Amino acid sequence: MIRDFFRVMEVNLTTGKTNIIELPGRGEYLGGAGLAARLFEKFGFIDRDWDDPEQPVIFAIGPLTGYFPLMSKTCCAFRSPYHNQYTESYAGGKSALSLRFANLDALVVTGKAKRLTALCVGSRRVETRDVEYMRGFDAIHTGRVLRKIFPGSGRRSILRIGPAGENLSAYACINVDTFRHFGRLGGGTAMGIKNLKAICILGDRGFDLPEGKAYPKLYKHIFEQLTTTEMMAKYHGLGTAVNINPLNELKSLPWKNLQQTSSPNAGGISGETFADDTLLRNAACAGCPVGCIHVGFVREQFQTNNQYLYRQVGYDYEPIFSCGGMLEVTDAPQVLRILDVIEKEGLDCMSTGVALAWATEALEKGVISEKETEVKLTWGDAETYMQAVERLGRPTNDFYKLLAQGTLKCAEHYGGADFACVLGQEMAGYATGEVFFVSEGLGFRHSHLDSGGYAYDQKHEDKDVTKALDFLVNDERERIVLNCMVGCLFSRGVYKDDLLAEALESVGYGVHNESVADIGHRVQKLRWRLRLRMGYRPDQAKIPKRYSEITTWKGPLDTEYMEALRTGYAARILEMGAPLEEDD
Amino acid sequence: MKVLRAARMERCIGCHSCSLACARQVHKFLSWNKAGIRISSAGGLSTGFEARVCLACSPAPCAEACPTGSLIQRRDGGVIQKKKLCIRCGKCAEACPVDAIFLDHLVNPYVCIHCGQCVPFCPHDCLELVDLPKREQTEGGSDD
């Protein structure tokens, strides 16, 4: 074990001061999601909005980060500019191991810099640089310049925002090491409001390993399971893009702003098509041998006489669903070109695609006009969508300014809320049915990763409300344990509670008197308490009308079942997040 | 005599499993520095990856620069490391032409000893242990 407490660095951008804080609670919160929530309790303000300069942006890792394969993610927590409540987002790249080797369990950034700033932290370093000259730089260009400013190739992680974060779009992302992102709910904006363009984390330290045979033996066992069995084949083979075809066959693929749940043209953007026609290579997060990152390429002729350029663009299922199917762009390279612009602007690709899908339908129906959209948004027209993405990143009028705050906010102003595909935030790519819609609509992060509601829909034809709700609550709890570690959710088939307990034991973190499941339960309640104290009302969460109009493999959507799930899940959330006695 | 070659780095996905395996198994550390092989990008992840690893020079400039015999020339190339003799002067890292020796914050040098323990941890078979051709006697060097 490195230490049985948390070592946290707090950098205040207003004062320029840095504190190193030693915080107890490893046995109660493990790390990651638990530590982040604990840190928000300590540094955050329930009674101040997301844009208060003192609200923290928190990056936390887990007790097994670097010790075991796939323990390779970082939890980023902040008060979301999207809904003004506590939230989290997860990313990999080299961020987690960089924090580990910078000798930090968490980095907390508070305050607001006077001018655009880059922060560099390491085991023996903390430094801010004025980078006002980078204002308006896209995320890729920013990365290039930062690599020169803060040398350390191979042992550093670079987190940065694009124009969308600077311009305070509610769904700006934080780009991590070019191909990964803290994507959802506006982490990039939380940095933007602090005038924080980038963070470089230098992983420049090492730690003694435990003596004895238990640790190396367990490492080898887990490494072999992850690399020699077929368990991870889906993730490094076609990648999550493999989902396009099966979801299309199941009539569960959101298409054309969810006007359809399947399309005969889905093959053009299937995982197989991407792999055959555009896949350049795979990449991995540091500390993960799976290599799930799929990098596609696009070749473009920019002048006559065979003058070409090429771009490398990461893809996955969610980006393809949101910028392919939802916009009816059915040509893989065209999807990559849209994603490339989104990447540069520093937007969440799912929210962007879904927002533009709504705008296209709204334009089609006459809810808005070309006066608002400035370009004629047309299903399948990648060129026009690329122009619209730039307008979202750097709003040119009130319409784009509002659309960059969220589809539903825009629809509330212009109309068209019925067909806004928003489940708490712009939806994830699973039109699987009632359980998923309620799960994402009400869930903690409004994410398909809160729990496997989409998988439940695909496996269960029965409509047992209690059984479905038990699943959502228990699956969330299991995922929270892994998010406290902070392990990649792709490894959830390997890292069950028992193995996690064994892994903790092998490096000296024997869990004190409690099972990891109990800790998961504690963190689950803590997170919900935070959300509810910031005004979240799950009982008032709405599922837009479009979701009751669809047909899946099970037939037309059952609105009664969905409503029973909605009210039942809201009650469970209110129960989990009930105030502690000492809060009264 | 075997040496480690990063022969197929165009396959590398940047997972760092090799350097973590070296740190863990050879040096008993959790680190991506305290290792005989380090992975870096060639200027951002879109440019692919490079391995910083001993190329098994013969004669090895690092061994020649070492004042205490802590790094000793291996017969056909590369060095043998005797940690106890190291005075942490850092001359070896200065002398390495390919930046393959890492100095930690206490100026401890980490260099590949061509043991091959990293090889099975590379998921894409980028690394291999190969036999170096026997050198001509006239080139000098000792077999001892």
Side-chain angles (χ1 to χ4, degrees):
Chain A
M1 136 173 75
I2 292 167
R3 60 182 82 88
D4 65 357
F5 54 90
F6 299 115
R7 187 170 187 271
V8 180
M9 179 186 277
E10 183 216 355
V11 179
N12 186 319
L13 295 173
T14 306
T15 62
K17 299 283 184 199
T18 298
N19 289 319
I20 294 287
I21 298 139
E22 293 184 351
L23 199 68
R26 179 71 79 186
E28 287 79 33
Y29 300 100
L30 292 171
L35 172 58
R38 179 74 194 84
L39 287 170
F40 196 90
E41 278 193 316
K42 184 175 169 62
F43 290 100
F45 296 91
I46 301 287
D47 53 353
R48 299 191 199 175
D49 287 338
W50 73 274
D51 56 354
D52 187 286
E54 294 311 314
Q55 292 289 17
V57 177
I58 298 160
F59 300 91
I61 57 170
L64 301 180
T65 302
Y67 273 122
F68 286 101
L70 273 79
M71 290 296 166
S72 49
K73 289 217 169 196
T74 303
C75 171
C76 175
F78 50 96
R79 190 159 187 163
S80 167
Y82 195 94
H83 55 38
N84 202 23
Q85 291 154 16
Y86 179 70
T87 194
E88 305 160 347
S89 187
Y90 291 80
K94 282 180 287 181
S95 58
L97 266 63
S98 289
L99 277 165
R100 162 62 70 235
F101 297 138
N103 197 15
L104 298 173
D105 294 297
L107 171 67
V108 179
V109 185
T110 58
K112 178 176 183 172
K114 283 199 180 74
R115 284 154 58 90
L116 203 61
T117 292
L119 168 68
C120 181
V121 300
S123 71
R124 297 188 296 153
R125 183 171 176 180
V126 57
E127 180 188 344
T128 51
R129 292 267 184 102
D130 184 311
V131 293
E132 189 60 42
Y133 60 88
M134 283 195 201
R135 197 169 286 282
F137 276 24
D138 71 46
I140 304 297
H141 189 190
T142 303
R144 268 188 222 118
V145 177
L146 282 161
R147 284 194 281 275
K148 292 192 178 70
I149 298 179
F150 301 122
S153 177
R155 54 193 189 114
R156 87 190 144 189
S157 181
I158 293 178
L159 286 53
R160 71 271 198 178
I161 61 171
E166 291 174 31
N167 295 328
L168 307 182
S169 156
Y171 47 88
C173 73
I174 304 172
N175 176 301
V176 182
D177 301 325
T178 308
F179 293 121
R180 298 286 89 184
H181 311 85
F182 294 109
R184 311 229 71 191
L185 289 170
T189 321
M191 272 177 66
I193 197 73
K194 296 188 169 306
N195 264 331
L196 183 58
K197 181 72 172 169
I199 302 171
C200 176
I201 306 163
L202 295 173
D204 51 1
R205 209 187 140 171
F207 299 93
D208 285 321
L209 285 172
E211 289 180 6
K213 289 181 183 163
Y215 169 66
K217 195 176 158 196
L218 188 60
Y219 185 101
K220 201 165 168 234
H221 168 69
I222 293 174
F223 191 90
E224 278 173 4
Q225 270 208 303
L226 291 166
T227 53
T228 60
T229 66
E230 286 302 300
M231 196 176 284
M232 305 303 282
K234 166 182 170 181
Y235 300 113
H236 66 242
L238 293 177
T240 53
V242 71
N243 286 337
I244 294 274
N245 276 342
L247 284 172
N248 190 43
E249 280 160 27
L250 273 176
K251 291 196 176 68
S252 298
L253 180 67
W255 194 269
K256 212 176 170 181
N257 199 38
L258 205 55
Q259 292 179 21
Q260 298 163 220
T261 49
S262 67
S263 164
N265 300 319
I269 53 168
S270 69
E272 291 79 355
T273 303
F274 269 89
D276 289 345
D277 297 350
T278 78
L279 181 57
L280 183 64
R281 64 196 171 89
N282 286 32
C285 297
C288 169
V290 174
C292 75
I293 303 171
H294 287 66
V295 182
F297 75 97
V298 190
R299 198 172 77 121
E300 277 176 20
Q301 187 167 14
F302 64 93
Q303 264 177 24
T304 53
N305 196 23
N306 290 324
Q307 304 302 300
Y308 283 92
L309 58 82
Y310 69 96
R311 304 177 194 284
Q312 298 183 44
V313 190
Y315 68 80
D316 250 315
Y317 171 70
E318 303 293 347
I320 297 172
F321 122 78
S322 55
C323 298
M326 279 299 261
L327 302 174
E328 213 177 32
V329 175
T330 55
D331 178 62
Q334 297 303 322
V335 176
L336 291 180
R337 290 178 69 219
I338 299 170
L339 289 173
D340 185 48
V341 184
I342 293 174
E343 188 75 85
K344 286 178 180 149
E345 293 302 317
L347 287 157
D348 174 69
C349 61
M350 294 159 73
S351 284
T352 303
V354 174
L356 291 178
W358 171 83
T360 310
E361 187 170 336
L363 185 63
E364 201 174 52
K365 290 197 156 97
V367 172
I368 51 174
S369 69
E370 266 187 73
K371 185 173 155 271
E372 279 79 36
T373 58
E374 296 178 349
V375 291
K376 192 172 184 323
L377 300 173
T378 311
W379 302 115
D381 181 359
E383 292 292 340
T384 314
Y385 286 128
M386 287 160 70
Q387 292 171 32
V389 171
E390 286 181 347
R391 285 167 164 78
L392 279 174
R394 311 159 199 244
T396 47
N397 65 15
D398 289 344
F399 170 75
Y400 282 107
K401 207 178 242 176
L402 202 51
L403 191 58
Q405 295 308 307
T407 305
L408 214 47
K409 288 194 183 101
C410 199
E412 277 160 11
H413 181 80
Y414 291 96
D418 282 356
F419 56 88
C421 293
V422 176
L423 295 168
Q425 65 182 321
E426 285 74 13
M427 75 179 294
Y430 301 90
T432 51
E434 300 86 351
V435 178
F436 174 68
F437 296 151
V438 169
S439 164
E440 191 181 358
L442 276 67
F444 184 80
R445 295 192 283 141
H446 301 300
S447 163
H448 59 299
L449 301 169
D450 284 332
S451 63
Y454 53 91
Y456 190 92
D457 278 328
Q458 290 174 62
K459 286 174 194 156
H460 295 83
E461 277 193 81
D462 60 79
K463 290 177 180 172
D464 186 330
V465 175
T466 306
K467 207 169 112 189
L469 294 178
D470 287 347
F471 170 81
L472 291 181
V473 170
N474 292 331
D475 196 42
E476 179 192 49
R477 199 260 306 143
E478 281 181 22
R479 286 168 183 239
I480 285 172
V481 171
L482 202 46
N483 287 341
C484 287
M485 293 296 181
V486 185
C488 176
L489 285 180
F490 288 169
S491 69
R492 60 189 182 272
V494 175
Y495 285 117
K496 298 289 188 192
D497 285 1
D498 287 351
L499 184 63
L500 287 172
E502 195 185 340
L504 284 166
E505 188 76 42
S506 78
V507 297
Y509 289 115
V511 178
H512 320 288
N513 307 321
E514 272 192 317
S515 67
V516 290
D518 290 338
I519 297 172
H521 196 50
R522 171 183 295 117
V523 175
Q524 188 174 29
K525 290 201 288 191
L526 168 62
R527 288 157 91 243
W528 281 121
R529 269 202 314 278
L530 278 172
R531 272 300 296 278
L532 295 177
R533 285 176 68 200
M534 286 185 228
Y536 181 48
R537 293 294 305 270
D539 48 332
Q540 289 177 9
K542 290 195 177 87
I543 311 276
K545 193 172 168 214
R546 176 57 47 91
Y547 294 97
S548 59
E549 297 169 343
I550 68 156
T551 299
T552 70
W553 63 286
K554 289 184 280 194
L557 198 105
D558 184 337
T559 49
E560 264 180 48
Y561 177 47
M562 188 153 77
E563 183 58 15
L565 287 168
R566 191 188 70 80
T567 50
Y569 193 33
R572 297 273 185 116
I573 290 169
L574 288 167
E575 193 184 319
M576 284 188 282
L580 293 176
E581 280 177 20
E582 62 252 38
D583 287 346
D584 295 335
Chain B
M1 201 172 89
K2 302 275 189 195
V3 294
L4 180 76
R5 290 294 188 216
R8 289 173 288 274
M9 285 303 288
E10 63 275 19
R11 296 180 176 190
C12 177
I13 56 173
C15 69
H16 295 252
S17 294
C18 55
S19 60
L20 291 168
C22 178
R24 197 173 60 244
Q25 302 199 155
V26 180
H27 301 288
K28 314 295 177 199
F29 263 99
L30 177 61
S31 172
W32 57 29
N33 290 332
K34 299 188 184 213
I37 180 166
R38 288 170 288 134
I39 302 299
S40 62
S41 68
L45 295 186
S46 54
T47 54
F49 298 97
E50 295 176 340
R52 302 285 169 90
V53 65
C54 171
L55 298 182
C57 308
S58 183
C62 56
E64 290 184 348
C66 177
T68 62
S70 175
L71 295 181
I72 310 161
Q73 177 74 53
R74 284 202 332 160
R75 190 180 59 204
D76 291 331
V79 290
I80 296 163
Q81 189 173 21
K82 293 189 173 177
K83 283 186 183 169
K84 282 183 184 166
L85 301 181
C86 181
I87 57 169
R88 301 188 292 182
C89 65
K91 298 275 187 205
C92 53
E94 270 174 40
C96 176
V98 292
D99 188 26
I101 301 182
F102 179 77
L103 297 177
D104 71 7
H105 65 294
L106 299 173
V107 205
N108 291 306
Y110 291 84
V111 60
C112 175
I113 53 170
H114 302 277
C115 68
Q117 291 202 54
C118 54
V119 175
F121 286 93
C122 175
H124 284 196
D125 205 18
C126 303
L127 308 173
E128 62 184 7
L129 266 191
V130 296
D131 280 313
L132 273 184
K134 269 249 171 218
R135 289 180 173 277
E136 297 282 332
Q137 282 296 323
T138 50
E139 278 190 28
S142 165
D143 277 358
D144 299 333

